[in-house]
Amino acid sequence: GAGVSQTPSNKVTEKGKYVELRCDPISGHTALYWYRQSLGQGPEFLIYFQGTGAADDSGLPNDRFFAVRPEGSVSTLKIQRTERGDSAVYLCASSPTRDSKGTQYFGPGTRLLVL
Amino acid sequence: DQQVKQNSPSLSVQEGRISILNCDYTNSMFDYFLWYKKYPAEGPTFLISISSIKDKNEDGRFTVFLNKSAKHLSLHIVPSQPGDSAVYFCAASRAGNMLTFGGGTRLMVKP
C-alpha cells in the first residue's frame, strides 16, 4: 500500500513569496501532523489535524503559517511572505487515529529553500 | 527548552558490535517513547517504542530500555550491521498527541 506522499519534493522560492506544500496521508488515517526539521535538528511539531479540524496548532511559529485539511484527507501547509529562516524540510505524518502509542508514519518531506 | 535531548551527535561502531544510543527527557508526563531511523532524503521510519509503564521492549536486534527515575532511555542494536548506518531520533509522546523529538544521533557502522 502507498505510504504518506508529499509534493513537491523540493521547492525554491524567493523571500516574500507564497508557497503551498501538499501532504497525502495513508488512506484511512484520520490523524495528520506537520513537522518542520531544520538542518542538524530533530523535527519540530507545527500542527495536528483530527479529521478536518485542526486539533492543535500550537506549533505554528506565527500567523504567516496556515494549514488546511478540508475533506479530512489531503492537507496543505501554506506559508505567506516567506523568509529565509523558513528554509527547512517540512515533514508530514499520519496515523490511523490519535494513536495512544504515538506511532506516526512519515512522508519523505518537502525541502523548502527561501532565497 | 528542549524536553528531549540526545547528547551524542554521532556514534561509530564496528560491524557485529553493540550500538548504544542514549536519550534524556525532562517532561514526566510523557507516556510513550519511540525511536525513529532516518536515511538521507527520506522521512523518519518508526523503529521501536516503549510505554512508560515498562522498562524494556525488544524487537529482533533492537531493544529499548527505559529508566523513569533517571528520565533516560536507550536503544541497543545487537549485532550492528552496516545497513543500520543512519540518523536515529528519540521521540516522546503524551496521550497520543504530537511527538517531541531529540536532535538525533548519527550512527556509522563500519564493516
Side-chain angles (χ1 to χ4, degrees):
Chain A
V4 177
S5 62
Q6 292 185 246
T7 55
S9 53
N10 293 280
K11 176 71 176 179
V12 181
T13 191
E14 293 180 343
K15 180 175 178 295
K17 299 287 188 182
Y18 167 83
V19 296
E20 288 190 353
L21 312 179
R22 175 189 167 110
C23 172
D24 207 333
I26 294 171
S27 178
H29 281 194
T30 59
L32 185 147
Y33 306 79
W34 283 98
Y35 294 83
R36 176 168 74 171
Q37 184 177 16
S38 300
L39 196 62
Q41 298 180 23
E44 293 180 313
F45 169 74
L46 294 176
I47 187 169
Y48 154 56
F49 287 90
Q50 183 60 43
T52 60
D56 183 351
D57 65 357
S58 62
L60 294 177
N62 51 60
D63 60 7
R64 295 188 297 106
F65 288 75
F66 188 71
V68 295
R69 195 186 184 198
E71 298 178 0
S73 177
V74 171
S75 175
T76 304
L77 178 66
K78 308 180 181 192
I79 310 174
Q80 299 177 325
R81 305 183 303 281
T82 52
E83 298 177 358
R84 292 193 180 89
D86 299 336
S87 297
V89 176
Y90 289 81
L91 294 163
C92 176
S94 70
S95 65
T97 180
R98 198 181 81 173
D99 188 341
S100 62
K101 296 181 180 179
T103 307
Q104 298 173 17
Y105 302 88
F106 283 82
T110 293
R111 281 152 193 79
L112 175 67
L113 177 61
V114 182
L115 299 176
Chain B
D1 177 31
Q2 268 190 295
Q3 296 189 66
V4 178
K5 284 187 180 179
Q6 294 175 256
N7 290 317
S8 298
S10 65
L11 174 68
S12 181
V13 300
Q14 205 66 36
E15 180 179 5
R17 297 291 189 99
I18 184 172
S19 296
I20 300 176
L21 296 95
N22 294 301
C23 178
D24 297 293
Y25 63 96
T26 57
N27 189 342
S28 58
M29 299 299 290
F30 289 136
D31 55 9
Y32 259 93
F33 302 90
L34 306 91
W35 285 93
Y36 279 81
K37 177 179 178 180
K38 188 179 183 304
Y39 293 117
E42 295 183 11
T45 303
F46 171 73
L47 198 55
I48 192 170
S49 65
I50 187 168
S51 162
S52 61
I53 63 173
K54 296 190 174 183
D55 56 16
K56 178 182 175 182
N57 187 26
E58 190 172 353
D59 183 1
R61 296 185 298 114
F62 303 90
T63 303
V64 55
F65 295 92
L66 175 63
N67 182 333
K68 279 188 69 177
S69 60
K71 294 192 175 66
H72 177 83
L73 65 155
S74 61
L75 174 68
H76 292 210
I77 307 174
V78 182
S80 301
Q81 300 173 353
D84 296 330
S85 297
V87 178
Y88 289 77
F89 289 100
C90 168
S93 170
R94 182 166 72 91
N97 289 310
M98 80 286 197
L99 296 174
T100 302
F101 284 87
T105 296
R106 181 177 302 277
L107 174 65
M108 293 163 284
V109 180
K110 298 179 179 178

